[in-house]
Amino acid sequence: MAQPPAAAPRTSSPEGATTQSSPDDALSEESLKEFITSLPSREGWPQPLIQYKSYWFNRNMLEGVLRARRAFAPRAEDVILATQPKCGTTWLKALAFAVATRSRHGLGAPDHPLLTRHPQHLVPFIEIPGVAGRDHAELGALPSPRLLATHMPMSLLTPETWSLGCRVVYLCRDPKDTLVSRLHFENMVAQDDSALSMEDAFGMFCEGFSPKGPFWDHCLDYWKESMARPDTVLFLKYEEIKLDPARVVKMLASFLGVPLTEEEESCGVAQEVATLCSFEKLTRLQVNQVGGVDHGNKVYIYNSMFYRKGEVGDWANHMSREMGEKLDRIVQEKLQGSGLVF
Ligand code: A3P
């Protein structure tokens, strides 16, 4: 990754969310599993979800979160891409990777890593480093500045993330499209007859009961922080990238500390990044069509599962107008007064 300038260290804790240490951070591997068993659990999604500090996780993911809080050591130069699943994580990983490494990996190079590696594997998750074939020790061995990703709610990122001044790019998406994308993904992963219906998924999502949910709380914490400290948290929406990807590429480059030079501007580098990372380009590559990763517990995620339609507004093909209006009302109410709208 190209070297962004060191961010100014943060001395205060973020607005609107607690990011304190917790006694759970010191759990041994054995007591961690026992601890998870003691937490509230609820059925409904293909895998039961467990509630931890007001958010819902499947067991694998929660183990990852607790291990990350124990073993992951942030560095001031880290850039963390934060999302809820199905909000465009794969796309953001591709864009940020292309922007940040462009001095090392020429965008038109025939051996550009994005042509042969899945974006999900180029940027490892803090809480599921195994997806990129790594563990926390290997994350620790990566050279700075590291480009990392997370689905963790802001309040669960280790407090050092904030005190060190790590920069965070948060990407969210219209909750209706996120839910539709989620439902398709869950049903693809389950691969059996227990397909979840739109009605059931909708009801649970509206209650705030969804993987990494409540959806609105996850967005709101990062949103508030981005308002209070725009130099620390860049808040993006899937829809705005769709509308003008080149504009977002420029914003990303500046935020990562590697702004486009005048020459790059005149050569159309922003558009070049956007094209390299476009849905059309990525889905034509073999690496994004075949292969996958075994997550254990009978969960196998094919590389192709991260690409479906890549459109804005597909929700209208899967839920009624009334359902759309109901979800909009709930989300509006939850976000009221924050300035965040979908
Ligand atoms: P859909 O299911 O609506 O098509 P995530 O990466 O967070 O899992 O999100 C997956 C969603 O992002 C899917 O949405 C997928 O198609 C879409 N997506 C993946 N890569 C994309 C790209 N390069 N451009 C636009 N959308 C993309």
Side-chain angles (χ1 to χ4, degrees), residues 17-29:
T18 25
T19 59
Q20 289 144 3
S21 308
S22 142
D24 318 332
D25 299 348
L27 291 170
S28 69
E29 204 47 37

Side-chain angles (χ1 to χ4, degrees), residues 86-91 173 181 238 277 279 306 308-310:
K86 305 302 128 206
C87 285
T89 318
T90 315
W91 196 10
R173 186 182 190 184
S181 184
Y238 182 95
C277 301
F279 187 85
F306 292 96
R308 192 181 60 93
K309 281 194 173 174

Side-chain angles (χ1 to χ4, degrees), residues 83-92 94-95 118-120 125 151 171 173 177-178 180-182 184-185 188 238 241-242 274 276-283 304-312 314:
T83 57
Q84 288 189 69
K86 305 302 128 206
C87 285
T89 318
T90 315
W91 196 10
L92 180 62
L95 289 165
H118 197 290
Q120 288 287 354
F125 281 106
H151 287 320
L171 175 64
R173 186 182 190 184
D177 283 337
T178 307
V180 165
S181 184
R182 178 92 227 170
H184 280 94
F185 186 80
M188 271 191 287
Y238 182 95
I241 313 184
K242 268 307 240 195
L276 175 63
C277 301
S278 66
F279 187 85
E280 294 69 27
K281 171 83 185 180
L282 293 180
T283 49
S304 59
M305 286 179 179
F306 292 96
Y307 305 93
R308 192 181 60 93
K309 281 194 173 174
E311 288 172 4
V312 171
D314 185 46

